[in-house]
Amino acid sequence: MRILVAGATGVVGHPLVGALRARGHQVSALVREESRDRAPEADAVVVADALDREALLAAVSEVRPEVVVHQMTALRMMMANPPEAFAQTARLRTEGTANLIAAARAAGARRLVAQSIAFAAAPTADTVVDENVPLYVDAPDPGWAATVQAVAALETQVAGAAPELSGVVLRYGTLYGPGTTYARAALGQQILAGQIPLPGDGAGVTSFLHVEDAVGAAVAAVESEATGTFHITDDEPAPASQWLTHYAGLLDAPAPRTIPVEMALRMFGWFMTHQLTEAAGASNTRARTELGWKPLRPSWRDGLGEE
């Protein structure tokens, strides 16, 4: 198939281009001008900013994809400027998604695969939830509420692109592996320095996902006829008390000290405290049964903290 990967310089988009080409597809990489030097090897590289509607329409029509894959975020900026990274990512999920859908339709594409996140569920009594639980669009933290509202807008637009485009939303779990914030060079250094204590009982549940499994799920979604929203996570949702202690052990670091939740709110802010104390994990059952995907790394224990 002719496939366009938008966001082809990202931590998932870059290896995805190679994975799709290895399966015999003709793959075009969509990148911005300032990212051209980081573009992966592809059958074609097209340059446009997804927030420039006319430029995007022209770029996508040039390669006439049958399938468009939306992997666009601005999270590469996270370490340098978190507020700007979140703001730009929100625009890409709202305006950028709208522009990409318009371009895909105009170019005659038949399928759209878009990335989302699996850790935005509204509070529930369950520690692990499926895709039917509402998103936390009214979170008490304005920044997180805005992020989740943008995620909801992306998912609504993908669902509403039918019947011209059959849409698939892949809600990735918390990514780990090379290039992610959970790699040893990033979070690992903070754990070694004792900068990540455990708030309260650390009952917040995280569903992890290795980058390679995110790529595999995107390939499966491209080649499948399934539509809808899928949690793409490993098989072992884990409370913070478990995974954070395990990570410290891998690094031969001291076990994380325990602090009151109120202190964590002052240290970390609302979002990270919520994730470590209250968040629910995500079940991948639907992806296994309907998408025909399963993680090659079923447990975060198989690689969390690798270089």
Side-chain angles (χ1 to χ4, degrees):
M1 292 180 285
R2 294 188 308 278
I3 302 167
L4 174 75
V5 176
T9 60
V11 69
V12 176
H14 196 287
L16 176 59
V17 171
L20 289 167
R21 294 183 78 215
R23 294 183 63 82
H25 301 296
Q26 180 181 322
V27 186
S28 299
L30 177 69
V31 302
R32 294 179 302 144
E33 180 60 46
E34 53 268 42
S35 303
R36 188 197 288 261
D37 61 343
R38 299 199 305 272
E41 185 175 346
D43 296 288
V45 174
V46 290
V47 179
D49 188 326
L51 300 177
D52 183 337
R53 189 180 182 90
E54 295 307 313
L56 186 65
L57 284 164
V60 177
S61 66
E62 179 183 329
V63 293
R64 297 179 301 109
E66 298 166 77
V67 181
V68 173
V69 184
H70 179 349
Q71 297 285 335
M72 300 183 298
T73 72
L75 298 179
R76 184 182 293 275
M77 303 162 54
M78 183 61 71
M79 298 300 291
N81 191 339
E84 182 64 16
F86 281 120
Q88 281 295 101
T89 297
R91 287 192 68 195
L92 288 169
R93 286 172 172 155
T94 52
E95 297 172 51
T97 299
N99 292 342
L100 192 61
I101 288 173
R105 282 174 167 158
R110 61 172 180 80
R111 188 162 176 81
L112 175 66
V113 177
Q115 70 153 270
S116 182
I117 55 176
F119 43 90
T124 172
D126 298 321
T127 57
V128 178
V129 299
D130 65 17
E131 293 85 349
N132 295 324
V133 172
L135 297 175
Y136 204 179
V137 294
D138 58 350
D141 178 74
W144 186 237
T147 292
V148 181
Q149 288 162 14
V151 168
L154 178 151
E155 295 190 0
T156 298
Q157 290 184 77
V158 173
E164 296 96 332
L165 290 170
S166 64
V168 180
V169 171
L170 304 178
R171 290 181 178 172
Y172 295 150
T174 299
L175 290 173
Y176 70 97
T180 71
T181 56
Y182 279 72
R184 184 171 298 199
L187 184 66
Q189 293 304 309
Q190 293 179 281
I191 292 173
L192 276 169
Q195 296 171 350
I196 311 293
L198 194 63
D201 58 3
V205 178
T206 296
S207 283
F208 286 101
L209 179 71
H210 195 277
V211 168
E212 292 173 358
D213 280 322
V215 171
V219 171
V222 164
E223 297 180 343
S224 172
E225 295 299 319
T227 59
T229 300
F230 301 93
H231 285 159
I232 306 299
T233 61
D234 75 10
D235 296 338
E236 192 179 344
S241 58
Q242 187 176 99
W243 71 259
L244 190 56
T245 301
H246 179 83
Y247 201 157
L250 289 175
L251 302 175
D252 292 324
R257 72 186 192 281
T258 300
I259 62 171
V261 173
E262 293 75 16
M263 184 182 295
L265 287 167
R266 295 194 295 271
M267 288 180 62
F268 300 141
W270 182 89
F271 170 69
M272 189 168 178
T273 302
H274 168 74
Q275 293 299 114
L276 294 173
T277 60
E278 299 178 315
S283 167
N284 65 18
T285 299
R286 183 179 296 177
R288 283 175 166 272
T289 57
E290 297 182 27
L291 196 59
W293 169 86
K294 63 180 180 180
L296 296 177
R297 301 203 189 201
S299 172
W300 49 273
R301 298 176 189 274
D302 299 332
L304 185 63
E306 66 185 18
E307 297 294 347

